[in-house]
Amino acid sequence: MKNILLPLVLLLAIATTQAQRNNDRQENRREIAANMDPAAIASIQAKKMTLALDLTDKQEREITEILVANKSNRDQKITREQYQAMSAADKLAVKEKKMDAQIATKRAFKEILNDDQYERFEKMAKNRRGKQRGERQKIRRG
């Protein structure tokens, strides 16, 4: 029994330490992103897309412009308290505006990217959404 207990306790301690490190990394990334210029963030995202999708220079510039516009709009975000204080009609208007922006972005990407690139982009976006959904579920579970 003693032979099993000691490794189990050590494993539990290591797992706890690793989880805390991951949480610290996420907080540091959020803090860095909050202090960065929207153009810098958009440029980094465009370069990542260039590597993943083999974009041309022209495509990269066009996508950077779209991402900068999206980041600028995101900076005008409504706080949770403001959103809760809104009427149902105002909430609906905010949601519609957000969806319209997403549709416009998607259409712009579809115009810029060729069919193969757009298909890979959609797969990347789907995987990213799945990961975010999984992270939110982990947070809810505690």
Side-chain angles (χ1 to χ4, degrees):
M1 183 72 176
K2 290 180 182 179
N3 294 338
I4 296 173
L5 190 59
L6 182 60
L8 187 63
V9 169
L10 288 174
L11 185 63
L12 183 63
I14 292 170
T16 303
T17 304
Q18 189 66 26
Q20 289 174 346
R21 284 183 186 165
N22 287 339
N23 193 20
D24 290 344
R25 285 182 193 152
Q26 288 177 346
E27 289 178 15
N28 287 341
R29 286 181 182 166
R30 287 184 187 131
E31 185 177 325
I32 290 169
N35 294 330
M36 285 182 72
D37 181 43
I41 295 171
S43 175
I44 290 170
Q45 285 180 332
K47 290 188 185 304
K48 286 181 181 180
M49 288 179 69
T50 300
L51 290 172
L53 302 175
D54 299 323
L55 302 178
T56 64
D57 290 338
K58 181 183 176 189
Q59 287 175 322
E60 185 179 347
R61 281 191 305 273
E62 291 172 349
I63 286 177
T64 302
E65 291 172 9
I66 294 169
L67 294 174
V68 167
N70 286 347
K71 293 292 179 191
S72 298
N73 291 340
R74 214 172 275 153
D75 288 344
Q76 301 166 358
K77 206 171 190 178
I78 298 170
T79 65
R80 178 175 280 169
E81 292 80 20
Q82 290 172 333
Y83 186 78
Q84 289 174 346
M86 290 180 162
S87 67
D90 290 339
K91 288 180 182 180
L92 181 63
V94 168
K95 287 181 183 180
E96 284 182 356
K97 183 179 177 184
K98 181 180 175 183
M99 295 300 290
D100 288 340
Q102 289 175 347
I103 291 168
T105 300
K106 191 170 187 173
R107 286 181 182 159
F109 277 126
K110 194 164 191 158
E111 288 178 16
I112 295 169
L113 302 174
N114 64 34
D115 293 337
D116 182 49
Q117 290 172 329
Y118 187 75
E119 186 178 321
R120 286 188 285 164
F121 170 72
E122 285 292 311
K123 286 181 183 176
M124 288 171 33
K126 185 176 181 181
N127 289 339
R128 186 178 64 242
R129 286 189 301 262
K131 286 179 184 178
Q132 289 173 347
R133 187 176 298 124
E135 290 172 3
R136 285 193 306 264
Q137 288 176 354
K138 286 179 186 177
I139 291 170
R140 288 181 189 146
R141 290 180 185 152

PDB file of all heavy atoms in Angstrom, residues 22 48 52 61 65:
ATOM      1  N   ASN A  22      -0.305  26.446 -16.492  1.00  0.00           N
ATOM      2  CA  ASN A  22      -1.100  26.696 -17.691  1.00  0.00           C
ATOM      3  C   ASN A  22      -2.029  27.880 -17.491  1.00  0.00           C
ATOM      4  O   ASN A  22      -2.207  28.698 -18.383  1.00  0.00           O
ATOM      5  CB  ASN A  22      -1.909  25.456 -18.085  1.00  0.00           C
ATOM      6  CG  ASN A  22      -1.033  24.374 -18.665  1.00  0.00           C
ATOM      7  OD1 ASN A  22       0.070  24.630 -19.134  1.00  0.00           O
ATOM      8  ND2 ASN A  22      -1.520  23.149 -18.620  1.00  0.00           N
ATOM      9  N   LYS A  48       0.260  34.168 -39.321  1.00  0.00           N
ATOM     10  CA  LYS A  48      -0.071  32.780 -38.993  1.00  0.00           C
ATOM     11  C   LYS A  48      -0.915  32.154 -40.101  1.00  0.00           C
ATOM     12  O   LYS A  48      -0.699  31.003 -40.488  1.00  0.00           O
ATOM     13  CB  LYS A  48      -0.825  32.698 -37.662  1.00  0.00           C
ATOM     14  CG  LYS A  48       0.032  32.913 -36.444  1.00  0.00           C
ATOM     15  CD  LYS A  48      -0.785  32.789 -35.179  1.00  0.00           C
ATOM     16  CE  LYS A  48       0.047  33.019 -33.948  1.00  0.00           C
ATOM     17  NZ  LYS A  48      -0.753  32.906 -32.714  1.00  0.00           N
ATOM     18  N   ALA A  52      -0.147  28.952 -42.596  1.00  0.00           N
ATOM     19  CA  ALA A  52      -1.071  27.820 -42.648  1.00  0.00           C
ATOM     20  C   ALA A  52      -1.716  27.638 -44.016  1.00  0.00           C
ATOM     21  O   ALA A  52      -1.976  26.513 -44.445  1.00  0.00           O
ATOM     22  CB  ALA A  52      -2.153  27.991 -41.585  1.00  0.00           C
ATOM     23  N   ARG A  61      -1.951  41.142 -47.205  1.00  0.00           N
ATOM     24  CA  ARG A  61      -2.264  42.557 -46.954  1.00  0.00           C
ATOM     25  C   ARG A  61      -3.773  42.758 -46.809  1.00  0.00           C
ATOM     26  O   ARG A  61      -4.229  43.472 -45.907  1.00  0.00           O
ATOM     27  CB  ARG A  61      -1.720  43.426 -48.078  1.00  0.00           C
ATOM     28  CG  ARG A  61      -0.246  43.717 -47.993  1.00  0.00           C
ATOM     29  CD  ARG A  61       0.170  44.796 -48.975  1.00  0.00           C
ATOM     30  NE  ARG A  61      -0.190  44.503 -50.354  1.00  0.00           N
ATOM     31  CZ  ARG A  61       0.543  43.803 -51.206  1.00  0.00           C
ATOM     32  NH1 ARG A  61       1.705  43.319 -50.817  1.00  0.00           N
ATOM     33  NH2 ARG A  61       0.139  43.603 -52.448  1.00  0.00           N
ATOM     34  N   GLU A  65      -5.882  43.967 -43.411  1.00  0.00           N
ATOM     35  CA  GLU A  65      -6.813  45.100 -43.354  1.00  0.00           C
ATOM     36  C   GLU A  65      -8.144  44.689 -42.724  1.00  0.00           C
ATOM     37  O   GLU A  65      -8.703  45.422 -41.902  1.00  0.00           O
ATOM     38  CB  GLU A  65      -7.046  45.652 -44.755  1.00  0.00           C
ATOM     39  CG  GLU A  65      -5.854  46.351 -45.359  1.00  0.00           C
ATOM     40  CD  GLU A  65      -6.072  46.719 -46.818  1.00  0.00           C
ATOM     41  OE1 GLU A  65      -7.212  46.573 -47.311  1.00  0.00           O
ATOM     42  OE2 GLU A  65      -5.103  47.148 -47.462  1.00  0.00           O
TER      43      GLU A  65
END
